[in-house]
């Protein structure tokens, strides 16, 4: 049985550089009764309308009221073994498939889209690589096609490159490439740390400097400059204070704390200075940067991952919430979109999605989690 709840939410006014920003209005709707922790938005059936995919189900747009089962996902206590849902045309047939992975199955997989038909999708194993915290997809070699990079705490850092044919279409196969032969830890990011025009990897205990040529086959240089503990996935690379040095935005994914590390270089030596963003909330796990108020500046969007470790994390019993932060040169003004008990409010799960679903020019947020799947439709400035 499907339950749909719709509420109108209005953000609180915040002050930026001495001037008042116009409020944004959001409409909150629960999508189905699913409780997976990952979601994505794309056109599943090529009808020119965006759809929602979360775990075992596909919800056709534009109203997302119907749901079609696409596969079985193994449960484990109150988890499902689905910690990412990334859309990628793996087999080259013109329809987007799903790349996924989970902790207990220890296997990177892809689900084959049956060309938009409302039948179940075939599941293909890519590699039994170990317990997957989640995955991220980045174009490491600059060929226009993303590589799949799982966060494997306790294992090495690998990238999985989609093998393409002579026309550049996916073949359904991946090549496994070793990036770093040491423990990558909990936490993963990708961005240009040293401003050399090449994106680097950020891990829990340091960062990997990209080689000048052929990054998938040459050695990356290790810089063990910090210890981030159980950091978020992703760790974001962004020049917070606009001083021309990229900084890091991250959280303690299984504890209290959201913060940024300011990069400083003096006499050729790089240091990192910690600044709190929100030390009073826990289990921020997925962080994203998007311009959702159309001011040409990105906002930091995040929320609590409800019951990330089955209630065993510090602050697990605290209320959950979904937020965005105006970065404002490092001041990070928080705007609350939702807050309360999990029976009423939404967090952000482990893999949320941001996209303009209704083509009104403002990006919406689709937030999964053990508390439910919620769409926060951005209606633009409050009228």
């Amino acid at each position: 049985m499907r339950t749909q709840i719709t509420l109108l939410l209005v953000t609180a006014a915040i002050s930026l550089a001495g001037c008042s920003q116009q409020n944004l209005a959001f409409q909150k709707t629960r999508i189905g009764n699913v409780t997976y922790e990952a979601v994505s938005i794309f056109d599943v059936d090529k009808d020119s309308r965006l759809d929602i995919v979360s775990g075992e189900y596909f919800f056709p747009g534009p109203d997302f009221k119907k749901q079609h089962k696409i596969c079985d996902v193994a449960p484990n206590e109150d988890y499902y073994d689905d910690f990412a849902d990334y859309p990628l045309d793996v087999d080259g047939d013109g329809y987007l498939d799903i790349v996924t992975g989970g902790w207990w199955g220890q296997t990177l997989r892809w689900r084959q889209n049956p060309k938009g038909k409302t039948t179940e999708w075939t599941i293909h194993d890519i590699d039994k690589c170990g317990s997957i915290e989640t995955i991220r997809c980045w174009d490491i070699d600059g060929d226009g096609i993303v590589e799949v990079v799982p966060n494997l705490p306790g294992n090495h850092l690998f990238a999985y490159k989609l093998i393409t044919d002579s026309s550049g279409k996916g073949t359904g196969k991946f090549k496994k490439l070793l990036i770093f032969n040491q423990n990558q830890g909990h936490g993963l990011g990708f961005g240009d740390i040293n401003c050399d025009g090449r994106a680097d990897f950020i891990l829990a205990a340091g960062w990997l400097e990209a080689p000048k040529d052929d990054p998938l086959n040459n050695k990356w240089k290790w810089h063990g400059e910090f210890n981030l503990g159980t950091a978020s996935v992703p760790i974001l690379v962004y020049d917070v204070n606009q001083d021309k040095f990229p900084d890091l935005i991250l959280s303690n994914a299984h504890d209290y704390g959201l913060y940024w590390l300011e990069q400083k270089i003096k006499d050729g030596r790089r240091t990192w200075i910690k600044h709190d963003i929100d030390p009073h909330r826990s289990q921020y796990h997925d962080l994203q940067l998007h311009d959702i108020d159309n001011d040409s500046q990105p906002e930091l969007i995040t929320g609590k991952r409800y019951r990330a470790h089955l209630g065993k994390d510090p602050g697990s019993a605290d209320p959950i919430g979904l937020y965005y932060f105006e970065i404002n040169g490092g001041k990070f003004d928080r705007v609350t979109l939702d807050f309360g008990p999990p029976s009423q409010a939404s967090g952000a799960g482990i893999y949320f999605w941001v996209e303009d679903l209704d083509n009104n020019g403002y990006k919406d947020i689709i937030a999964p989690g053990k508390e439910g799947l919620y769409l926060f439709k951005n209606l633009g400035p409050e009228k």
Side-chain angles (χ1 to χ4, degrees):
M1 178 178 177
R2 187 192 57 80
T3 301
Q4 191 169 64
I5 303 170
T6 302
L7 298 171
L8 184 64
L9 306 173
V10 181
T11 66
I14 57 178
S15 177
L16 297 178
C19 59
S20 179
Q21 179 181 333
Q22 196 170 16
N23 290 355
L24 291 176
F26 285 82
Q27 184 183 67
K28 173 187 173 184
T29 303
R30 179 161 185 171
I31 306 297
N33 283 326
V34 298
T35 55
Y36 311 101
E37 295 188 77
V39 71
S40 61
I41 295 172
F42 62 99
D43 185 356
V44 171
D45 49 7
K46 298 184 73 171
D47 65 353
S48 299
R49 294 180 295 194
L50 291 173
D51 310 302
I52 295 172
V53 173
S54 183
E56 296 178 321
Y57 293 96
F58 144 48
F59 298 86
D63 58 13
F64 316 111
K65 291 181 179 179
K66 294 180 180 179
Q67 65 183 56
H68 302 292
K69 187 171 182 180
I70 64 172
C71 65
D72 290 320
V73 177
N76 190 297
E77 298 184 79
D78 63 358
Y79 293 98
Y80 285 93
D81 205 34
D82 179 69
F83 284 10
D85 290 331
Y86 187 83
L88 180 68
D89 185 3
V90 176
D91 56 2
D93 66 355
Y95 287 81
L96 291 171
D97 311 296
I98 286 287
V99 180
T100 185
W103 187 262
W104 293 273
Q106 301 184 345
T107 304
L108 190 65
R109 297 185 169 101
W110 69 281
R111 300 172 185 149
Q112 187 174 10
N113 185 339
K115 297 184 177 180
K117 298 176 183 176
T118 55
T119 58
E120 293 199 20
W121 300 24
T122 302
I123 299 175
H124 303 267
D125 288 353
I126 299 171
D127 184 37
K128 193 173 181 63
C129 53
S131 294
I132 299 171
E133 184 70 17
T134 183
I135 67 170
R136 286 300 181 272
C137 297
W138 297 297
D139 184 4
I140 300 170
D141 58 3
D143 67 351
I145 302 174
V146 297
E147 281 69 53
V148 181
V149 186
N151 184 212
L152 306 168
N155 205 341
H156 300 163
L157 179 65
F158 299 102
Y160 293 81
K161 182 172 181 60
L162 179 63
I163 299 172
T164 56
D165 61 19
S166 58
S167 64
K169 294 181 179 180
T171 62
K173 303 293 183 182
F174 289 82
K175 182 179 181 181
K176 182 179 183 179
L177 298 153
L178 177 65
I179 302 295
F180 188 53
N181 64 356
Q182 297 182 35
N183 179 4
Q184 62 173 284
H186 189 303
L188 180 65
F190 188 66
D192 187 358
I193 292 289
N194 56 351
C195 300
D196 64 358
R198 299 185 294 272
D200 311 298
F201 277 108
I202 301 90
L203 306 181
W207 63 281
L208 288 163
E209 182 179 348
K212 292 183 179 180
D213 301 300
D214 195 4
L216 291 177
N217 294 290
N218 283 322
K219 187 175 181 180
W220 296 60
K221 183 179 179 180
W222 176 247
H223 300 270
E225 296 176 354
F226 40 68
N227 186 352
L228 306 179
T230 54
S232 54
V233 186
I235 300 164
L236 301 174
V237 180
Y238 180 73
D239 185 2
V240 171
N241 54 359
Q242 302 298 300
D243 66 352
K244 309 301 183 183
F245 294 106
D247 308 301
L248 302 179
I249 304 173
L250 65 152
S251 69
N252 297 320
H254 296 283
D255 205 332
Y256 285 94
L258 176 66
Y259 59 99
W260 66 284
L261 295 180
E262 180 183 4
Q263 181 180 179
K264 290 286 189 182
I265 297 179
K266 184 177 182 180
D267 299 327
R269 180 174 177 268
R270 180 181 291 103
T271 59
W272 300 90
I273 302 170
K274 182 178 178 181
H275 302 272
D276 284 333
I277 299 172
D278 186 354
H280 305 300
R281 288 169 175 79
S282 77
Q283 297 172 107
Y284 289 118
H285 206 292
D286 186 5
L287 285 63
Q288 299 188 33
L289 291 172
H290 293 276
D291 181 9
I292 63 168
D293 58 6
N294 291 353
D295 66 352
S296 300
Q297 299 294 325
E299 283 73 49
L300 171 64
I301 308 169
T302 187
K304 183 173 182 173
R305 181 187 174 199
Y306 176 50
R307 289 179 61 79
H309 278 164
L310 297 174
K312 299 176 183 178
D313 284 341
S316 186
D318 296 346
I320 61 174
L322 183 70
Y323 319 95
Y324 73 84
F325 295 79
E326 295 284 354
I327 295 174
N328 196 21
K331 294 182 180 179
F332 285 93
D333 297 298
R334 186 182 69 238
V335 179
T336 299
L337 300 183
D338 210 10
F339 183 77
S343 59
Q344 300 173 16
S346 173
I350 200 170
Y351 197 90
F352 69 94
W353 203 268
V354 179
E355 190 153 340
D356 183 2
L357 268 168
D358 55 3
N359 201 32
N360 73 341
Y362 287 86
K363 292 182 179 180
D364 311 301
I365 303 169
I366 184 76
K370 296 183 179 78
E371 70 280 14
L373 176 65
Y374 289 90
L375 168 62
F376 290 80
K377 186 175 289 187
N378 187 348
L379 306 180
E382 181 189 6
K383 297 178 181 179

